[in-house]
């Protein structure tokens, strides 16, 4: 299948398919002419895996003038997932919270739901947060303006030793100051409302 055919089957943009291919989410090869080709079986497998998976943990009430902020949490610790869900549920502005458990799944989610903000751990099995962030910040990815936040137990020195974070990524060290996190996310929500109002 071509990237366009795969995008139509998966319901995502061609650029998203290209990002998934480059990040290894969708296996592909190149023809002699340099065009990407994707096995239909790989597309079918991804569709089957994601069919019942994209369900928000909690969906806030929304109105046409206050559309919910779409937030994706990429975290493999089930305890932290539950904690974050409780924290977000206490915020006084509408948020749709979705989750992924590693960078690979995070990239799939991002392509499917086009979140406003991604909050990610760094150390995870399979594709870690570093790889996911670099894929998203790669020139031409189509996700260069996506708001990215990191929550990590790694020290600043450890993060730098692993290649550092891409420019524009905000880092919160564990234990997380959830008040500061809420303030930052709320500011983005307010700015988003202003942009929508001016559109």
């Amino acid at each position: 299948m071509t990237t366009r055919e795969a995008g139509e089957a998966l319901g995502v943009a061609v650029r998203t398919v290209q990002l998934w291919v480059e990040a290894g989410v969708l296996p592909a090869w190149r023809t002699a002419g340099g065009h990407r080709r994707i096995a239909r079986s790989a597309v079918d497998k991804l569709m089957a895996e994601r069919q019942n998976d994209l369900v928000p943990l909690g969906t806030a009430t929304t109105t046409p003038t206050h559309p919910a902020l779409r937030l994706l949490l990429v975290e493999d610790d089930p305890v932290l997932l539950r904690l974050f869900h409780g924290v977000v549920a206490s915020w006084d502005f509408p948020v749709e919270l979705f989750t992924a458990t590693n960078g690979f799944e995070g990239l799939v989610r991002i392509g499917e739901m086009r979140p406003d903000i991604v909050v990610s751990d760094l150390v995870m099995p399979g594709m870690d947060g570093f790889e996911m962030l670099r894929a998203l910040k790669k020139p031409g990815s189509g996700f260069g303006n996506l708001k990215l936040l990191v929550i990590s137990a790694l020290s600043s020195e450890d993060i730098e030793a692993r290649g550092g974070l891409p420019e524009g990524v905000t880092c919160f060290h564990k234990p997380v100051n959830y008040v500061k996190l809420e303030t930052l996310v709320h500011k983005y929500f307010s700015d988003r409302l202003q942009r929508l109002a001016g559109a």
Side-chain angles (χ1 to χ4, degrees):
M1 301 177 73
T2 65
T3 52
R4 183 172 301 281
E5 290 169 341
E8 289 173 354
L10 291 163
V12 299
V14 172
R15 186 56 212 150
T16 298
V17 175
Q18 293 170 346
L19 172 68
W20 289 351
V21 168
E22 290 166 4
V25 172
L26 270 177
W29 68 93
R30 287 187 179 273
T31 66
H35 300 290
R36 290 186 179 91
R37 290 294 180 267
I38 303 163
R40 184 174 298 276
S41 59
V43 173
D44 291 342
K45 180 181 177 184
L46 186 58
M47 287 175 67
E49 289 174 352
R50 312 286 10 124
Q51 188 172 8
N52 298 315
D53 208 20
L54 189 63
V55 179
L57 284 179
T59 304
T61 302
T62 64
T63 67
T65 55
H66 293 83
L69 191 76
R70 295 168 69 81
L71 190 154
L72 173 66
L73 173 64
V74 187
E75 170 63 68
D76 66 312
D77 186 330
V79 174
L80 290 177
L81 285 170
R82 288 195 296 271
L83 172 61
F84 200 90
H85 178 253
V87 167
V88 170
S90 73
W91 292 352
D92 63 355
F93 54 99
V95 177
E96 286 184 312
L97 176 62
F98 299 81
T99 63
T101 57
N102 57 48
F104 181 96
E105 187 178 344
L107 288 176
V108 173
R109 295 281 199 176
I110 289 165
E112 289 174 333
M113 59 174 284
R114 307 294 294 194
D116 299 296
I117 296 179
V118 174
V119 179
S120 179
D121 193 4
L122 290 176
V123 180
M124 295 176 286
M127 180 186 286
D128 63 19
F130 289 102
E131 291 179 83
M132 183 189 74
L133 293 172
R134 288 165 188 154
L136 292 169
K137 286 294 187 178
K138 186 176 180 180
S141 72
F143 295 94
N145 293 325
L146 179 60
K147 183 69 174 175
L148 301 171
L149 308 178
V150 161
I151 293 177
S152 180
L154 294 176
S155 67
S156 299
E157 292 75 16
D158 288 336
I159 291 173
E160 285 303 315
R162 296 186 183 208
L165 299 175
E167 187 176 349
V169 176
T170 302
C171 183
F172 286 85
H173 293 282
K174 296 178 181 177
V176 179
N177 184 327
Y178 286 103
V179 174
K180 286 187 176 179
L181 178 64
E182 178 184 359
T183 300
L184 183 61
V185 175
H186 186 267
K187 182 181 185 305
Y188 185 87
F189 175 74
S190 299
D191 292 346
R192 178 171 168 268
L193 286 182
Q194 291 179 1
R195 290 196 300 272
L196 289 173

